[in-house]
Amino acid sequence: MLKVSDSKKGLVRKHLKDSYTHRLTLEPNDTRRLASLCGQYDEHLRQIEQRLDIHIMNRGNAFQLSGTQNKVTAGSEILLQLYNETNSCDDLTPPVVHLFLQEAGIEALMEDSQVESPDIPSIPLVRLKKVTIKPRGTNQQHYVQSIKQHDINFATGPAGTGKTYLAVACAVEALEQDLVKRILLVRPAVEAGEKLGFLPGDLSQKIDPYLRPLYDALYEMLGFDTVAKLIERNVIEVAPLAYMRGRTLNNSYIILDESQNTTKEQMKMFLTRIGFGSTAVITGDTTQIDLPRGIKSGLIHASEVLKDVEGIGTTVFQSKDVVRHPLVQRIVEAYDDHENIPQTMSLLEGKEKE
């Protein structure tokens, strides 16, 4: 139950211009749930304030929010959603609050657009036997929808945006629904500037540690024993990209991870392996290319060559889509800003010469 009364007032705080005040009462008046909502020393309220640039005051279950109208409306909706969440979980945590803020489309609000409710029925869910996975935010929802609609999908963006995790989830869903017969998880044998030669074993064994994020996602979704059995039966295959040459993959779900480290030739080879009844998802982060200097990334090249090809889905994630610790988003943005400085300086120097 939500009781609301609105009134436009003057400035509540000096830094808030064109202030709009919104009052709401959260019911039922449950002390434990309210404490969970607010967090220790009101840390959750401060987190919402900082992200939305609004001011929140409360006394018991009565809340007052002040700021620009669209941000206050978003803050009220988030408080209501979080309060509903306290009914089904013991205690909220800052990461959970962060994810709710991500879900609400905060960046769109900064551009004076409407709030997107996280409960709209059009959100594409990934339904597995062990768990149901709900995409976070507009880009993740678009990504999952695109995977379900297209046979080939490209996903680029920074770490922590859920590219690989959601791709694995969609692959497991397709396998459980008998839409495909097998899952192939593929990565190029190039990692972070390090050499693989010193590692023991053949190429497959050398690259195995780098495939650990894919294994972890599978273990979470299927369980350790099930994954082990499926790998033994070759229903799930984890392999280096080099092992794909010469194969035709029918009725398969193929995920090429870390594809920014493919060459143009490798990417073309991979894309032409795809057979009937197969789905391919190609993920990568173009800011973390570890190829030798002078070699163009196959992911960047493919994005240019295939941009107008019908039937291929593309999702571009931004730093705002990061769903890890809030600091990860700031780190990604800081690196992007730092890397853009030399380009800006070059442009300024060119104008000065003119």
Side-chain angles (χ1 to χ4, degrees), residues 280-298:
V281 181
I282 300 98
T283 69
D285 179 359
T286 55
T287 66
Q288 298 191 36
I289 297 173
D290 301 311
L291 292 169
R293 187 180 299 274
I295 297 180
K296 187 171 184 177
S297 166

Side-chain angles (χ1 to χ4, degrees), residues 130 212 214-224 227-228 231:
K130 290 178 67 70
R212 188 54 51 188
L214 299 172
Y215 283 121
D216 290 341
L218 286 171
Y219 293 149
E220 179 181 336
M221 297 169 195
L222 289 170
F224 185 88
V227 172
I231 290 176

